[in-house]
RNA sequence: GGGGGCGUAGCUCAAUUGGUUAGAGCGCCAGCCUGUCACGCUGGAGGUUGCGGGUUCAAGUCCCGUCGUCCUCGCCA
């Protein structure tokens, strides 16, 4: 008989009746009836009920076992009497009558319950992550993550992609997020950087003649956390395709993502091809470059209807170069006054000066602004919004960029409050045609996304167009309002690269010194190539229906980028610093070494 | 770095306008109980109300500061 187990706890069925089995697992719950004790023994696979009779020599000790201890039982599988069958348990038809037991690992009193999943403060959960991971919801999220990644590997391989590794210790890149740095012992004063993404390596693999690359790639960025952004590190399904167009990238991703989302959720998933929305159109209609398409509301322009309006609040905005945008919400005219007051307060909280509205209810128009509007204006608005009795139109007047942003926020809030978001579907879209350049804070032309993207129109566009009008073959994929990834057709021409950098204010020497590998490689026969890198954590988050990314990561850091279980980051020995030729020079605030976790 | 929420027993939470000895459920400890499966019943222990200061006859409650945590803005080529 195996030292620890002949079966898994979740295995036992009626067919095992009569067999002597050995099980090992955690004490999930103890039900002590004085004359008989029931123990639910739990492992990764399930629960089994073990019965301990008072005649057993170990009976006395069992009463004092703490839950979450690990124990090995040997005993006979018997059928439960009909009244004692538990239909909620896969193993509920049988139980194990213990004949021998061995304590494998005793548990202290646990700081929060594992068997009963009640809310618990997150600091404690992170300090005792190994206990939290035993709990069913987190445990099953991590199982889901493993299955999703395994399936992604199968699907990508079937599409002809090769999984390849790229370095973790690499060089710091000048653009993008802050790097995590690793000091070099061999080269005093020099540093490696952890890759923010394997971007340049995967492009080099294309130049190296590999045709289709993918990797479940760790990415390291020293940026502050959000609910959907884990600090420090995260994983991408990184991929790159040689001799490929934007459509080739879309086709593969639509196929793989549709398959994954269909297989691992009960929700309805958009069928390929996914909707493609130009960036500027997305901003105009949804006020966002990651619209949630489950929300049916769409912004419309009604600036001209207010240009000469007696409603000075709006006409004044228009006269000063601003715009008026409207959102038509069907069937919410009978919402209570509080609803409209709350919407106005919400709009103001996101920067609006106000929020106008028209309600078609009781055969008339109820609105604080209706009296300022001519009958023909009201008719024109009604026609524009396609509204009628029972409907409402909301209005935002501001300078264009602000109006779009506020309108986007109001659109999302209306969707939430009015229950317009179908929770049982995954709606995908591609946002395409991002601008190549934008103005930075100082009003200078800068890359708006990725300096490696191919400008649409090539050299001719770079030479002849206003840089701010040049579009890039740059795209995002969005699911239910979550940005899963950015990608691009890459700029594989050294001349185009130098020209693009020149427009952003960098000389050729900058390209050569900051991106020596790509600049050199592209001069020796580079294939046109394109790629993308959907976020694995976010995919699993959507599939698990979790609002927080930590719920799909086994060992996440807290918002301040600390690992409370391992105590990272921590101090190191002076010897280690000397070896690296490093001296720590703390700001006054930290002169007393902060206590480590 | 900025804004907001939260911080009361091991855990989750309650405590009227500032007013008696800060309570409950779960957990823990002890006892009882032979068919439970969130077992049940009885009893018990457990509190610097995050920390420091202030206002007040009186502070968990109000004010100031500080720390922790979460959400968010900045940031995320």
């Amino acid at each position: 008989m195996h030292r620890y187990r002949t079966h898994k706890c979740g295995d036992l069925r009626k067919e095992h009746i009569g067999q002597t089995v050995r099980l090992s697992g955690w004490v999930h719950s103890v039900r002590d009836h004085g004359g008989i004790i029931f123990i639910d023994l739990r492992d990764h696979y399930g629960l089994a009920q073990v019965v301990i009779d008072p005649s057993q020599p170990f009976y006395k000790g069992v009463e004092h076992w703490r839950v979450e201890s690990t124990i090995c039982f040997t005993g006979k599988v018997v059928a439960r009497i009909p009244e004692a069958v538990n239909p909620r348990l896969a193993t509920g038809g049988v139980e194990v009558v213990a004949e021998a037991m061995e304590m494998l690992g005793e548990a202290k009193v646990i700081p929060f319950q594992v068997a009963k999943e009640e809310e618990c403060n997150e600091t404690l959960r992170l300090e005792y992550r190994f206990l939290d991971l035993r709990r069913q919801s987190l445990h099953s999220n991590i199982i889901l993550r493993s299955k999703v990644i395994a399936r992604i590997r199968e699907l990508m391989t079937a599409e002809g992609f090769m999984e390849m590794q790229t370095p973790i210790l690499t060089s710091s890149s000048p653009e993008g997020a802050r790097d995590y740095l690793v000091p070099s012992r061999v080269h005093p004063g020099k540093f490696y950087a952890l890759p923010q993404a394997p971007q340049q390596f995967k492009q080099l693999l294309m130049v190296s003649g590999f045709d289709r690359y993918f990797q479940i790639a760790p990415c390291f960025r020293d940026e502050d956390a959000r609910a959907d952004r884990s600090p420090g590190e995260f994983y991408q399904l990184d991929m790159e395709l040689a001799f490929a167009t934007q459509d080739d990238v879309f086709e593969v991703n639509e196929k793989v993502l549709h398959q994954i989302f269909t297989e691992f959720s009960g929700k309805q998933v958009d069928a390929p091809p996914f909707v493609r929305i130009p960036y500027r159109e997305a901003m105009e209609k949804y006020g966002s470059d990651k619209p949630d398409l489950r929300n049916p509301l769409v912004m419309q322009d009604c600036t001209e209807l207010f240009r000469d309006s007696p409603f000075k609040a709006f006409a004044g905005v228009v006269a000063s170069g601003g715009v008026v945008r409207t959102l038509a919400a069907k069937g919410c005219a009978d919402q209570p006054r509080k609803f409209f007051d709350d919407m106005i307060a919400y709009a103001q909280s996101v920067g609006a000066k106000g929020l106008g509205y028209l309600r078609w209810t009781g055969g008339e128009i109820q609105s604080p602004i209706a009296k300022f509007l001519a009958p023909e204006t009201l008719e024109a608005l009604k026609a524009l919004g396609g509204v009628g009795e029972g409907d409402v139109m909301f209005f935002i007047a501001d300078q264009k960029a602000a109006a779009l942003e506020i309108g986007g926020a109001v659109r999302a809030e209306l969707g939430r409050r009015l229950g317009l978001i179908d929770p049982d579907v995954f709606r995908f879209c591609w946002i395409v045609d991002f601008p190549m350049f934008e103005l930075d804070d100082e009003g200078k032309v800068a890359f708006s996304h990725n300096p490696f993207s191919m400008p649409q129109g090539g050299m001719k566009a770079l030479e002849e167009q206003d840089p701010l009008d040049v579009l890039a073959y740059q795209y995002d994929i969005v699911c239910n309002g979550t940005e899963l990834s950015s990608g691009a057709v890459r700029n594989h021409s050294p001349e185009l690269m130098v020209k693009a950098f020149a427009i952003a204010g960098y000389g050729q020497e900058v390209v050569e010194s900051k991106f020596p590998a790509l600049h050199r490689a592209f001069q020796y026969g580079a294939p046109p190539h394109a790629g993308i890198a959907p976020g694995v954590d976010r995919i699993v988050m959507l599939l698990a229906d979790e609002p927080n990314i930590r719920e799909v990561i086994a060992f996440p850091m807290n918002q301040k980028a600390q690992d409370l279980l391992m105590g990272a980051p921590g101090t190191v020995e002076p010897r280690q610093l000397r070896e690296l030729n490093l001296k720590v020079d703390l700001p006054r605030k930290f002169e007393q070494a902060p206590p480590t976790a």
Side-chain angles (χ1 to χ4, degrees), chain A residues 314-381:
Chain A
F314 282 14
V317 170
V318 176
S320 70
V323 301
V324 183
R325 288 292 197 274
T326 181
L327 283 158
K330 302 287 170 69
C332 67
D334 56 349
Q335 289 282 335
R337 175 67 187 267
K338 182 175 177 353
F339 169 82
F340 294 94
D341 289 346
D342 286 351
M343 282 311 303
I344 290 169
Y346 175 80
Q348 289 170 338
S349 78
V350 293
K353 295 174 189 71
L355 182 68
Y357 59 86
L358 296 171
R359 298 161 71 187
W360 279 265
T361 180
E364 54 177 8
I365 299 176
Q366 292 189 8
S367 161
I369 65 173
K371 61 176 178 283
F372 300 109
L373 302 177
E376 55 270 27
T377 305
L378 290 169
E379 279 308 307
L381 287 170

Side-chain angles (χ1 to χ4, degrees), chain A residues 100-224:
Chain A
M101 79 91 193
E102 181 186 1
M103 175 67 76
L104 300 175
E106 205 168 342
K108 294 168 66 169
V109 175
I110 50 179
F112 54 83
Q113 296 307 295
V114 170
K116 300 169 191 172
E117 283 198 54
E118 56 184 0
E119 288 294 314
C120 163
N121 91 66
E122 189 143 15
T123 304
L124 203 62
R125 289 179 59 201
L126 292 172
E127 284 170 5
Y128 292 87
R129 193 63 168 179
F130 49 89
L131 291 180
D132 198 15
L133 284 163
R134 289 182 199 171
R135 306 215 283 188
Q136 212 233 312
S137 63
L138 191 53
H139 203 85
S140 56
N141 283 354
I142 300 303
I143 292 171
L144 172 67
R145 182 187 177 108
S146 171
K147 287 180 173 169
V148 165
I149 289 175
R151 189 71 177 118
I152 283 174
R153 288 199 157 101
E154 287 175 5
L155 292 168
M156 292 300 288
T157 304
E159 291 294 318
F161 287 80
M162 282 174 59
E163 184 169 6
M164 304 173 83
Q165 282 74 51
T166 51
I168 298 298
L169 291 176
T170 181
S171 61
S172 178
S173 58
E175 306 272 339
R178 277 184 291 272
D179 284 318
Y180 278 100
L181 298 177
V182 179
S184 165
R185 173 185 59 82
V186 181
H187 300 278
K190 293 190 174 175
F191 294 83
Y192 302 94
L194 306 184
Q196 296 184 25
Q199 182 66 36
Q200 296 186 65
F201 287 114
K202 69 175 174 178
Q203 293 193 241
L204 288 166
L205 286 171
M206 297 296 100
V207 183
S208 305
F210 297 99
D211 197 60
R212 290 187 154 197
Y213 143 94
F214 87 101
Q215 178 178 198
I216 308 296
C219 303
F220 305 90
R221 294 177 194 177
D222 185 2
E223 292 300 330
D224 290 335

